[in-house]
Amino acid sequence: MEFKAIVVDIDGTITYSDRSIDCRAVEALRGVKVPVVLATGNVLCFARAASKLVGTGGLVIAENGGVIECGIVEFDKSHMKMCEEAFKALNRHFPLERLDPENRITEIGLRRNFDVEKARHILNEFSELDIVDTGFAVHIKSRSINKGTGLKRLAELMGISALDFVAIGDSPNDIEMLKASGFGVAVGNAHPDLKKTAKMVTTGEHGAGVAEAIQHISGKTAI
Amino acid sequence: MEFKAIVVDIDGTITYSDRSIDCRAVEALRGVKVPVVLATGNVLCFARAASKLVGTGGLVIAENGGVIECGIVEFDKSHMKMCEEAFKALNRHFPLERLDPENRITEIGLRRNFDVEKARHILNEFSELDIVDTGFAVHIKSRSINKGTGLKRLAELMGISALDFVAIGDSPNDIEMLKASGFGVAVGNAHPDLKKTAKMVTTGEHGAGVAEAIQHISGKTAI
């Protein structure tokens, strides 16, 4: 099968666990001939900065699919009210710290300094809500938005299908993105749940895994 | 002389001219034992993202010195009204495009698609204003704020002097920063005006220049 693009998670996948960039991923992605999309749970201005620095031309999925950019910026704020209500309910139990409140527009990001399992229990009544722990932050978000839905819409704007993508990630919030893609890759350091979803699990971790995946695929088709 | 910290410009210095990161700079900066500050004309959220990805721990000078972060964020919005007036005056002559208007709080950034010399002439009456062309963007800003004033204040917050810094840059908007520092370095691709200010001009360009400067200084003192 021929792939027309790559979508790759940022934190933990093209970065080390301290969130600093892994230059092995940067070099590998720069060698690719097809468009590269960066996908993240982080906000748009972070995703844009990362795209500029990695040199991938500005195609991004931010806020776990809530915001996408492909020439134009699209976002879905419709679930924010519900997220705010859930935040208030949760804040009665934990002293929460919001991440980038001034820039995050479609979901709520929280510092990982509270018991996420207990939080899930407290928010049980919010059936449309999803609480995602990426290992870098906890996100209160709508179940109907994820990196998979973001990828499908971005692919549409690019005039291709999500199935034309190779998707590479490390975390549970990459599951839907890998499932929506044509070929899902989990890097060696990925969460076990993501590895179960992936068609390929690399031996290398972080950037080495990204380079390994790209080399594997480019041996079979032109990317 | 012993240096206690390094301050380095982002665009054109630790990046190539297309603004993508030069991994030679990343690796060199990661090998340094003293604190590394990233300085940029770009907005705080870009500077933060770059600091995270390069792995320099969050010490940043953004908006050409108008915003600094060192644990706390400090900014000076007092000249924004004058910048807005100048922008209005200029916009009567050119169709201007503002960069990051929602995130830029102490000055105005403009796309480089107009005649900067003509703009200087038009804004002649605004004697406290400075128009800086970094090669990446044009900034309408106060003359009293620059990367040099930003460095002095950041050094103060760090409990050291600006003279304890090695400063590395490529553009005219790095002149005051190099002058305020103890040892100013211009990378090989730097603007002639910056090279005149520098104590050292590297042979290497971009990241190779940064690596060369660090190697040169570490051969003489511990950094």
Side-chain angles (χ1 to χ4, degrees):
Chain A
M1 177 165 182
E2 194 182 327
F3 297 105
K4 294 179 183 162
I6 294 177
V7 59
V8 62
D9 166 58
I10 300 178
D11 283 324
T13 305
I14 65 166
T15 78
Y16 296 103
S17 51
D18 68 354
R19 307 180 81 171
S20 67
I21 196 88
D22 185 337
C23 287
R24 298 171 298 182
V26 174
E27 302 299 352
L29 292 170
R30 284 180 186 165
V32 160
K33 291 181 198 80
V34 297
V36 174
V37 175
L38 298 187
T40 179
N42 214 321
V43 294
L44 180 62
C45 76
F46 176 86
R48 277 178 174 165
S51 179
K52 203 159 271 171
L53 292 167
V54 179
T56 49
L59 297 168
V60 297
I61 297 169
E63 296 193 23
N64 289 305
V67 181
I68 58 171
E69 182 159 28
C70 169
I72 55 161
V73 177
E74 276 192 7
F75 49 83
D76 180 355
K77 284 184 174 180
S78 63
H79 310 280
M80 202 54 184
K81 200 178 155 207
M82 178 180 65
C83 293
E84 291 286 1
E85 282 168 16
F87 172 77
K88 270 185 208 157
L90 212 55
N91 213 12
R92 280 184 220 117
H93 298 266
F94 306 109
L96 301 171
E97 187 185 342
R98 283 175 81 145
L99 300 173
D100 307 298
E102 66 283 4
N103 286 316
R104 194 174 291 271
I105 57 175
T106 70
E107 50 142 63
I108 291 173
L110 299 171
R111 194 167 300 285
R112 293 176 75 237
N113 58 3
F114 61 96
D115 184 336
V116 176
E117 278 316 306
K118 201 173 162 193
R120 278 189 225 278
H121 185 72
I122 292 163
L123 297 182
N124 204 24
E125 63 183 299
F126 292 85
S127 58
E128 287 170 44
L129 262 190
D130 203 5
I131 302 179
V132 178
D133 182 359
T134 67
F136 296 95
V138 178
H139 301 259
I140 300 180
K141 54 181 280 301
S142 163
R143 282 192 191 282
S144 65
I145 294 178
N146 52 60
K147 288 188 187 174
T149 62
L151 177 60
K152 283 177 187 164
R153 179 60 186 144
L154 190 72
E156 201 176 354
L157 291 172
M158 291 170 70
I160 58 176
S161 157
L163 291 167
D164 292 324
F165 275 81
V166 173
I168 313 174
D170 78 316
S171 163
N173 70 328
D174 296 319
I175 289 175
E176 294 91 348
M177 181 174 87
L178 262 65
K179 281 187 176 168
S181 78
F183 190 79
V185 181
V187 286
N189 56 294
H191 190 282
D193 291 352
L194 190 75
K195 288 184 176 174
K196 277 183 219 155
T197 307
K199 291 212 173 96
M200 175 187 182
V201 178
T202 66
T203 309
E205 300 193 341
H206 307 287
V210 173
E212 188 183 325
I214 289 171
Q215 194 166 29
H216 171 82
I217 297 152
S218 62
K220 306 197 169 195
T221 176
I223 59 168
Chain B
M1 177 166 181
E2 194 181 325
F3 297 105
K4 295 181 183 161
I6 295 177
V7 59
V8 61
D9 166 59
I10 299 179
D11 282 325
T13 305
I14 64 165
T15 78
Y16 297 103
S17 52
D18 68 354
R19 307 180 82 172
S20 67
I21 196 89
D22 185 337
C23 287
R24 297 172 298 183
V26 174
E27 301 299 350
L29 291 170
R30 285 180 186 166
V32 161
K33 291 180 198 82
V34 297
V36 174
V37 176
L38 298 187
T40 179
N42 214 320
V43 294
L44 180 62
C45 76
F46 176 84
R48 277 178 174 166
S51 179
K52 204 159 271 173
L53 292 168
V54 178
T56 49
L59 297 168
V60 297
I61 297 169
E63 297 192 22
N64 289 304
V67 181
I68 58 169
E69 182 160 27
C70 169
I72 56 160
V73 177
E74 278 192 6
F75 48 83
D76 180 357
K77 285 182 171 181
S78 63
H79 310 279
M80 202 56 184
K81 199 178 157 209
M82 177 180 66
C83 294
E84 291 286 2
E85 283 169 17
F87 171 78
K88 269 185 209 158
L90 212 56
N91 212 12
R92 280 185 219 115
H93 298 266
F94 306 109
L96 301 171
E97 187 185 342
R98 285 176 79 144
L99 300 174
D100 307 298
E102 67 283 1
N103 286 316
R104 195 175 292 272
I105 57 175
T106 70
E107 49 142 64
I108 291 174
L110 299 171
R111 195 167 298 286
R112 294 177 74 237
N113 57 3
F114 61 97
D115 185 335
V116 176
E117 279 315 307
K118 202 172 161 192
R120 279 188 224 278
H121 186 74
I122 293 164
L123 297 184
N124 204 23
E125 63 182 301
F126 292 85
S127 58
E128 287 170 46
L129 262 188
D130 203 6
I131 301 179
V132 178
D133 182 358
T134 67
F136 295 95
V138 178
H139 301 258
I140 299 180
K141 54 181 280 300
S142 163
R143 281 194 192 281
S144 64
I145 293 178
N146 52 60
K147 288 187 187 174
T149 62
L151 177 60
K152 282 176 188 164
R153 179 61 186 143
L154 191 71
E156 202 176 354
L157 290 172
M158 289 170 72
I160 58 177
S161 157
L163 292 167
D164 293 324
F165 275 80
V166 173
I168 313 174
D170 78 315
S171 163
N173 69 329
D174 296 319
I175 289 175
E176 294 91 348
M177 181 174 87
L178 262 65
K179 281 188 176 165
S181 77
F183 190 80
V185 181
V187 287
N189 56 293
H191 191 281
D193 290 351
L194 191 75
K195 287 184 177 174
K196 276 183 221 156
T197 306
K199 290 212 174 96
M200 175 187 182
V201 178
T202 66
T203 310
E205 300 193 339
H206 308 287
V210 173
E212 188 183 325
I214 288 171
Q215 194 165 28
H216 171 81
I217 298 152
S218 63
K220 306 198 170 197
T221 176
I223 59 167

